[in-house]
């Protein structure tokens, strides 16, 4: 404050300033179109020299909300910045150049591609100098890379003016060159990702990764954070310094989409933090045709961000000097406190939502006002006395040349370059040549078991966990059959020893929802933690297992993002119960299953989805197998339901060890976790590979062959044993996609007396694998194939445990049929 005022009563000054620090943003001059009239506030009803100073600082073009931050050091930091660094020099020539580039780009596209959607940035072109300042400041603070995410608005502008892609590539998009290359795939030009080099005012360089984005607003946020985290992890100790995440949002979407809240909540969680994200709300005070008062319940779109103790900088988008100043302040705050920050850049939208929309129908008054507003570069040139002409001419001729170059491109340009760590991996169709042996000798399994069951001297282990570890020891030494929990631990441990890092996250994943994992041992005296998987050998790879926040969409999105930048890691997201994954449906549809087709970007993400009808009611029963199978095409993912602990072991190891990077959806067990039929002898882990189909060796003479997947198969076997029968044969389909047609043909060929083939599932007729597998099975066994299932239903299961038992019994009785 000292540089602002002299000779004043310092106590009074503090009191007055405190009011402005607290409430000044309510009277700040924040928007160009008069949307935010000043709010009367009794604590701001002040006059005098001190009040004038307070008003000048806190009620100008910048309104900052920071007094809700409990940490006095952080509040003080902002206070200092606001009150003593008012007149930081701004490189106005550069700002003008940026504004010219932003405005002229939009104008050029507007006049040359009439009626084509581009989602113009006009009205908020200060975004370009804002990003320029943030990234420039980031590079001064040690950043080498930035992961950017944004939706449609201004994206093309950012691609050429910030990411640094040649404008010719964007013009090629408007010309729609080379349509044959994307028949049935690809994406629209304002969703595709881009990489490039940003060069700051002082020559600092930053590698930029603009994340590919679906139309689903805000869904990309956690993906960007996961990508940043992976990049930071690759770097190590300095990762958070060297990689900056920056996400941009529309005002309506930021306020309305739940995933924004979920993603903000990741900010300070150990397994998910990225050392602070810079959020920019590209606030044009409208969402499509919806006014702010219809779109959010509080004054600012940014109010959601107050769930975190972070500053929110509102800034008038028509004051570029203030915008640039806010950019630097926000960035420096991120670096000082490893904290998220929000910049609310408030402008307007010059055209309709897209350029084919007429906004005067829904907001006639507003658009009368907007019509007369000059382009920002012109008003800035006038205000600063700078000459914009030469910038305009230079950029215009650059664009003319770029348009020519774009038109003559024979191939659709690829606007990104994958980092080198992707080179060993590939996607594309399934190729059996990619298979690798995943079995391990018993001696190796014993060595891992030693590590898994060991804990430090003096560690106070919980008696139940002690017993659990004893049992695991017996399993690992082949003295009792292995359950799923143990084979999973052996798979992860063996991979870590092979140098493959592991990352598993989900709700309560450290212990495991079903008490099956106990990956973290907790000392019962001091709650110190010990993770055996991290202490198998001195030079093993990293193993990370995290309990996540109680969200599906953001966490799955984060793990998808992580897998995108760490293909060497086995990345797994686990649902508490499989049906909760539908909270992340956008991430599944838009990224996991379609990312390769839309953007040619791969992921090896594993989704672990507990599934099985066990009388627990409509929820907690079904992971909705049908939905994943419906999304399968062009080998875009693998869908499996391993029915034994050994199969699960091979499946996980295969996913990590092959070079084929395609998502893996696993329907994982609940009661089957310890079902005697699902346990595996240790010899199963010595087998070379995962089997997509398991034959029934005990009933090769059967005339009836039941085909099924998952728990029902075991229940059928148990009942067949109870009835002391040898038939029917029960064949398990362990992998549903890619559909193992050849393997099935071979297995079914081993039942020469079979006259009857039946698909059996416990799910209702309109759910489960039925509608996917039956037509494919018919190709193998003919149209005589029948199916046994619950009647079609609106919910997956009954709410009554007894009704479930009755239904299940009927199903099994029907399936087993009369003795041969
Ligand atoms: C999840 C989702 N719901 C709806 C839409 C359709 N939609 C596209 S843009 C838009 C308005 C977005 O407004 P805002 O977030 O303020 O961004 P702006 O376009 O104004 O920059 C809507 C509703 C969408 N793309 N995604």
């Amino acid at each position: 404050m000292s540089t602002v005022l002299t000779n004043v009563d310092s106590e009074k000054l503090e009191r007055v300033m405190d009011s402005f620090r607290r409430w000044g943003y309510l009277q700040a001059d924040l928007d160009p179109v008069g949307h935010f009239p000043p709010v009367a506030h009794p604590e701001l009803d002040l006059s005098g020299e001190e009040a004038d100073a307070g008003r000048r600082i806190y009620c100008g073009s910048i309104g900052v909300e920071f007094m809700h931050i409990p940490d006095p050091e952080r509040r003080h930091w902002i206070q200092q910045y606001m009150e003593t660094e008012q007149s930081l020099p701004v490189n106005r020539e550069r700002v003008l150049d940026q504004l010219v580039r932003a405005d002229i780009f939009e104008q050029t596209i507007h006049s040359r591609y009439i009626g084509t959607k581009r989602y113009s940035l006009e009205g908020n072109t200060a975004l370009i100098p804002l990003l320029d300042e943030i990234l420039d400041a980031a590079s001064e603070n040690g950043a080498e890379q930035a992961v950017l995410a944004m939706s449609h608005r201004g994206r093309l502008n950012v691609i050429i003016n910030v990411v640094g892609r040649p404008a010719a590539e964007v013009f090629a998009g408007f010309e729609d060159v080379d349509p044959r290359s994307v028949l049935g795939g690809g994406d629209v030009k304002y969703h595709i990702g881009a990489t490039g080099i940003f060069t700051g005012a002082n020559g600092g360089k930053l590698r930029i990764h603009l994340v590919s984005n679906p139309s689903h607003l805000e869904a990309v946020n956690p993906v960007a954070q996961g990508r940043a985290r992976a990049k930071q992890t690759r770097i190590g100790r300095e990762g958070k310094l060297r990689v900056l995440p920056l996400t941009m949002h529309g005002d309506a979407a930021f306020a309305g989409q739940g995933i924004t809240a979920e993603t903000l909540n990741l900010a300070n969680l150990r397994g998910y933090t990225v050392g602070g994200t810079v959020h920019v709300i590209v606030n044009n005070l409208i969402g499509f045709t919806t006014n702010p008062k219809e779109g959010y319940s509080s004054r600012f779109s940014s109010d959601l961000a107050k769930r975190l103790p972070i500053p929110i900088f509102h800034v008038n988008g028509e004051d570029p000097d203030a915008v640039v100043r806010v950019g630097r302040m926000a960035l420096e705050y991120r670096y000082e406190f490893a904290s998220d920050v929000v910049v609310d850049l408030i402008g307007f939208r010059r055209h309709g939502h897209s350029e084919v929309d007429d906004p005067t129908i829904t907001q006639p008054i507003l658009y009368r006002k907007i019509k007369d507003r000059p382009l920002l570069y012109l008003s800035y040139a006038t205000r600063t006395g700078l000459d914009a002409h030469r910038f305009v001419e230079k950029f215009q001729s650059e664009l003319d040349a770029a348009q020519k170059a774009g038109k003559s491109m024979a191939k659709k340009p690829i606007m990104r370059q994958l980092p080198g760590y992707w080179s060993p991996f590939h996607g594309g169709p399934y190729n059996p040549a990619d298979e690798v042996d995943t079995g391990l000798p018993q001696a190796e399994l014993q060595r891992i078991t030693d590590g898994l069951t060991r804990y430090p001297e003096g560690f106070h282990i919980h008696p139940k966990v002690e017993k659990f570890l004893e049992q695991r020891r017996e399993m690992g030494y082949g003295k009792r059959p292995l359950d799923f929990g143990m084979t999973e631990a052996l798979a992860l441990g063996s991979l870590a020893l092979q140098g493959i890092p592991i990352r598993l996250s989900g709700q309560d994943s450290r212990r495991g929802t079903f008490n099956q994992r106990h990956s973290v041992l907790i000392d019962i005296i001091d709650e110190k933690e010990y993770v055996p998987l991290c202490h198998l050998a001195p030079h093993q790879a990293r193993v990370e297992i995290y309990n996540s926040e109680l969200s599906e969409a953001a966490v799955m999105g984060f793990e998808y993002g992580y897998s995108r930048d760490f293909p060497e890691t086995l990345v797994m997201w686990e649902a508490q119960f499989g049906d909760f994954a539908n909270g992340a449906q956008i991430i599944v549809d838009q990224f996991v299953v379609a990312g390769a087709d839309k953007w040619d970007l791969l992921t090896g993400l594993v989704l672990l989805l507990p599934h099985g009808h066990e009388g627990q009611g409509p929820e907690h029963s079904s992971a909705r197998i049908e939905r994943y199978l419906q999304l399968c095409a062009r080998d875009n993912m693998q869908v499996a339901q391993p029915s034994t602990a050994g199969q699960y072991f091979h499946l996980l190891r295969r996913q990590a060890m092959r070079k084929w990077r395609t998502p893996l959806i696993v329907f994982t067990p609940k009661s089957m976790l310890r079902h005697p039929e699902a346990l595996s002898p240790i010899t199963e882990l010595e087998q070379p590979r995962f089997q997509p189909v398991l034959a029934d060796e005990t009933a090769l003479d059967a005339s009836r062959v039941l085909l099924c997947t998952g728990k029902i198969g075991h229940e059928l076997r148990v009942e067949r044993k109870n009835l002391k029968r040898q038939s029917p044969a029960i064949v398990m389909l362990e992998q549903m996609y890619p559909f193992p047609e050849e393997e099935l043909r071979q297995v079914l060929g081993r039942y020469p007396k079979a006259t009857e083939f039946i698909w059996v599932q416990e799910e209702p007729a309109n759910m489960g694998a039925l509608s996917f597998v039956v037509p494919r099975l018919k190709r193998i066994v003919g149209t005589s194939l029948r199916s046994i299932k619950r009647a079609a239903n609106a919910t997956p299961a009954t709410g009554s445990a007894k009704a479930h038992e009755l239904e299940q019994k009927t199903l099994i009785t029907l399936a087993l049929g009369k003795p041969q």
Side-chain angles (χ1 to χ4, degrees):
M1 199 54 225
S2 53
T3 59
V4 177
L5 282 188
T6 49
N7 302 327
V8 290
D9 168 352
S10 64
E11 220 175 275
K12 182 176 176 209
L13 177 64
E14 264 312 292
R15 231 182 19 254
V16 169
M17 288 307 289
D18 199 65
S19 291
F20 282 96
R21 287 169 196 147
R22 212 169 282 281
W23 304 115
Y25 70 93
L26 290 174
Q27 296 187 354
D29 172 25
L30 293 182
D31 84 282
V33 288
H35 175 78
F36 290 115
V39 179
H41 195 287
E43 287 181 41
L44 295 183
D45 202 3
L46 300 164
S47 56
E49 201 186 344
E50 297 85 353
D52 289 347
R55 225 161 252 127
R56 205 164 48 242
I57 294 166
Y58 288 106
C59 304
S61 299
I62 301 173
V64 50
E65 294 184 73
F66 68 111
M67 294 299 276
H68 58 284
I69 302 175
D71 180 357
E73 193 194 337
R74 295 181 186 213
R75 288 201 308 273
H76 189 70
W77 189 97
I78 290 175
Q79 211 169 292
Q80 283 285 105
Y81 210 110
M82 288 294 291
E83 294 172 22
T84 61
E85 302 194 29
Q86 279 270 38
S87 54
L88 259 186
V90 169
N91 182 345
R92 289 182 153 172
E93 292 256 325
R94 177 141 176 126
V95 171
L96 181 60
D97 184 25
Q98 303 268 306
L99 291 175
V100 164
R101 286 172 176 271
D103 273 323
I104 296 296
F105 169 75
E106 299 291 357
Q107 298 262 303
T108 306
I109 300 285
H110 196 68
S111 59
R112 299 190 190 171
Y113 299 95
I114 295 163
T116 310
K117 292 183 189 178
R118 68 178 193 282
Y119 299 105
S120 162
L121 187 59
E122 286 159 284
N124 238 336
T125 43
L127 176 67
I128 301 300
L130 173 68
L131 294 178
D132 187 68
E133 186 71 17
I134 293 174
L135 296 172
D136 203 17
S139 119
E140 285 166 28
N141 276 271
E144 290 164 358
Q145 301 181 52
V147 178
L148 265 56
M150 70 187 300
S151 63
H152 52 288
R153 178 79 48 216
R155 190 174 171 103
L156 299 173
N157 210 318
V158 167
I159 287 178
I160 66 158
N161 285 320
V162 179
V163 183
R165 294 309 307 181
E169 295 178 349
V170 170
F171 280 111
F174 280 96
E175 298 289 341
D176 211 354
V177 299
D178 191 20
R180 288 189 174 278
S181 65
V182 284
L183 287 171
D187 202 351
V188 291
K189 51 187 164 301
Y190 37 84
H191 286 166
I192 292 174
T195 57
I197 302 289
F198 164 84
T199 310
N202 300 321
K205 291 206 185 298
L206 222 54
R207 184 153 193 83
I208 309 285
H209 302 262
L210 176 64
V211 184
S212 297
N213 177 72
S215 194
H216 295 64
L217 297 167
E218 305 293 316
V220 74
N221 302 347
V223 175
Q225 306 227 332
R227 291 197 55 187
R229 170 83 176 207
K231 287 174 176 295
Q232 294 174 345
T233 307
R234 305 187 81 88
I235 293 169
R237 218 166 38 85
E238 290 203 333
K240 296 191 169 55
L241 184 80
R242 283 157 55 183
V243 181
L244 174 75
L246 191 162
T247 54
M248 285 160 266
H249 318 261
D251 55 307
F254 189 83
Q257 289 291 307
I259 198 166
T260 319
E262 293 184 18
T263 309
L264 285 170
N265 196 39
L266 296 173
N268 300 322
L269 306 181
R270 190 165 64 98
Y272 308 85
T273 182
V274 286
T277 301
V278 177
H279 304 271
V280 177
I281 303 178
V282 187
N283 189 344
N284 52 21
L285 299 169
I286 196 162
F288 215 138
T289 64
T290 301
N291 290 311
K293 66 173 186 296
E294 299 167 301
Y296 29 102
S297 284
S298 54
R299 183 170 169 87
F300 293 106
S301 147
S302 59
D303 283 335
L304 173 71
K306 283 200 207 156
R307 70 167 303 163
L308 295 177
I310 60 170
I312 298 164
F313 301 98
H314 307 282
V315 61
N316 189 322
E318 284 212 335
D319 184 347
D321 289 353
V323 170
V324 164
R325 190 166 156 246
V326 158
R328 183 159 285 268
M329 185 164 29
L331 187 283
E332 288 184 357
Y333 186 91
R334 185 271 181 189
Y335 269 85
E336 185 70 24
F337 299 109
S339 161
D340 279 29
V341 292
V342 176
V343 176
D344 182 19
L345 174 69
I346 305 174
F348 57 90
R349 193 187 68 197
R350 186 169 291 279
H351 307 284
H353 172 62
S354 78
E355 292 62 36
V356 293
D357 275 309
D358 180 356
T360 63
I361 295 169
T362 45
Q363 279 83 14
I365 298 180
L366 175 64
Y367 275 84
R368 270 201 294 279
K369 270 192 224 169
I370 287 175
K371 196 163 151 271
D372 297 331
R373 294 217 70 88
L375 292 177
L376 188 54
Y377 85 86
L378 290 173
S379 64
Y380 189 69
T382 309
R383 193 177 328 155
T384 55
L386 294 171
D387 173 20
H389 261 88
R390 62 200 163 94
F391 292 118
V392 175
E393 266 168 33
K394 180 166 177 289
F395 189 56
Q396 192 66 70
S397 64
E398 277 176 38
L399 286 183
D400 291 345
Q403 189 181 20
K404 264 195 213 111
K407 266 187 182 161
S408 60
M409 278 185 184
K411 286 242 157 295
K412 198 169 236 6
I414 296 174
M415 297 200 290
R416 52 132 178 93
Q417 210 183 347
L418 281 182
Y421 42 78
W422 269 102
S423 345
F425 302 100
H426 63 268
Y430 170 68
N431 179 354
D434 284 324
E435 293 295 350
V436 292
D437 282 349
T438 50
L440 285 176
Q442 288 197 31
E444 178 63 7
L445 295 167
Q446 287 172 7
R447 187 165 82 89
I448 304 165
T449 301
D450 289 346
L452 290 174
T453 54
R454 195 165 50 209
Y455 46 87
E457 192 91 3
F459 191 90
H460 305 96
I461 191 102
H462 192 288
K464 285 186 182 162
V465 178
E466 187 177 17
K467 182 135 186 286
F468 171 89
L469 293 180
E470 272 165 27
Q471 288 177 355
R472 281 202 161 175
R473 206 171 163 74
E474 291 173 20
M475 292 182 198
Y477 274 76
K479 293 185 183 146
R480 58 153 75 205
L482 287 79
D483 62 19
F484 273 82
M486 179 57 173
T487 57
E488 179 188 87
L490 286 168
L492 304 191
S494 60
L495 291 169
L497 288 172
Q498 282 167 235
I500 296 177
I502 307 290
R503 181 180 163 99
L504 164 61
S505 98
Q507 290 149 31
D508 308 289
S509 288
R510 293 182 0 136
R511 189 203 72 170
T513 299
F514 313 104
N515 246 312
Q516 82 280 23
R517 187 168 288 128
H518 294 285
S519 59
V520 182
L521 309 182
I522 295 168
D523 187 301
I524 55 172
I525 304 295
D526 58 14
E527 289 197 2
K528 278 217 178 84
E529 294 178 355
Y530 181 78
V531 183
L533 275 167
C534 295
H535 300 280
L536 299 175
H539 299 298
Q540 67 170 89
R542 184 181 38 259
V543 177
E544 295 172 275
I545 302 183
Y546 296 111
N547 287 344
S548 76
E549 66 163 326
L550 210 168
S551 121
E552 284 73 29
V555 183
M556 192 198 288
F558 188 99
E559 301 309 337
Y560 166 81
Y562 192 96
S563 75
R564 288 271 309 101
D565 276 277
F566 223 135
E568 312 92 310
T569 300
L570 177 65
V571 186
M572 293 171 283
W573 176 80
E574 182 174 58
Q576 184 120 67
F577 285 90
D579 43 358
F580 295 121
N582 61 12
Q585 198 65 47
I586 292 175
I587 303 295
V588 172
D589 289 352
Q590 303 306 328
F591 294 94
V592 178
V593 309
D597 254 13
K598 289 196 292 188
W599 310 313
D600 207 10
L601 295 174
L602 307 177
T603 171
L605 182 65
V606 180
L607 304 186
L608 301 176
L609 309 175
H611 175 83
H613 288 235
E614 294 165 357
Q616 292 193 52
E619 292 84 47
H620 298 184
S621 292
S622 174
R624 305 282 188 174
I625 293 178
E626 62 278 6
R627 294 203 181 142
Y628 294 90
L629 292 176
Q630 190 200 30
L631 295 168
C632 290
R634 291 154 60 111
D635 293 354
N636 61 339
M637 60 176 150
Q638 308 153 85
V639 178
Q641 181 160 221
S643 68
T644 70
Q647 283 275 82
Y648 184 45
F649 170 87
H650 290 291
L651 185 63
L652 291 178
R653 282 178 51 76
R654 176 180 89 161
Q655 179 71 356
M657 288 166 62
R658 277 186 317 205
K659 300 298 177 203
W660 192 44
R661 283 292 170 267
T662 302
L664 168 65
I665 317 297
V666 191
F667 296 99
T668 53
K670 298 175 293 168
S671 71
M672 210 170 71
L673 277 167
R674 300 176 184 87
H675 194 296
E677 289 281 324
L679 304 177
S680 293
I682 195 147
T683 47
E684 205 179 310
L685 279 59
E686 291 182 295
Q687 297 297 315
R689 290 176 186 183
F690 173 79
Q691 303 294 316
V693 184
L694 288 181
D696 183 349
E697 302 290 344
T698 66
L700 296 173
D701 279 343
S703 60
R704 176 182 272 205
V705 177
L706 306 181
L707 289 134
C708 49
T709 180
K711 176 177 74 72
I712 187 73
H714 294 312
E715 290 175 350
L716 289 165
R717 279 185 202 201
V718 168
E719 189 55 17
R720 188 180 63 181
K721 204 187 288 172
N722 287 344
L723 295 172
K724 302 202 170 35
R725 286 175 43 186
Q726 312 298 322
S727 66
I730 300 161
V731 172
M732 304 289 256
L733 182 60
E734 303 281 296
Q735 176 178 299
M736 289 167 267
Y737 194 81
F739 191 67
E741 185 162 335
E742 200 36 54
E743 288 86 344
L744 266 167
R745 274 186 204 283
Q746 276 174 21
V747 166
L748 296 180
R750 296 177 63 198
Y751 301 88
K753 298 188 183 152
T755 51
E756 233 189 333
F757 293 93
I758 305 176
W759 173 256
V760 186
Q761 68 172 34
E762 54 185 354
E763 295 85 358
N766 53 331
M767 301 176 192
L770 187 142
S771 52
F772 181 85
V773 296
V774 163
R776 288 169 174 79
L777 285 172
K778 281 185 176 167
R779 286 208 298 259
I780 304 170
V781 301
T783 49
S784 64
L785 179 85
R786 288 193 297 130
S787 61
I788 294 177
K789 66 272 170 185
R790 280 180 167 78
N793 208 353
T795 86
T798 164
S800 148
K802 285 193 181 153
H804 165 81
E805 288 300 325
L806 283 172
E807 290 171 7
Q808 200 80 351
K809 212 163 175 246
T810 312
L811 195 77
I812 290 169
T813 309
L814 275 173
L816 292 179
K818 297 205 170 56
Q820 275 177 3

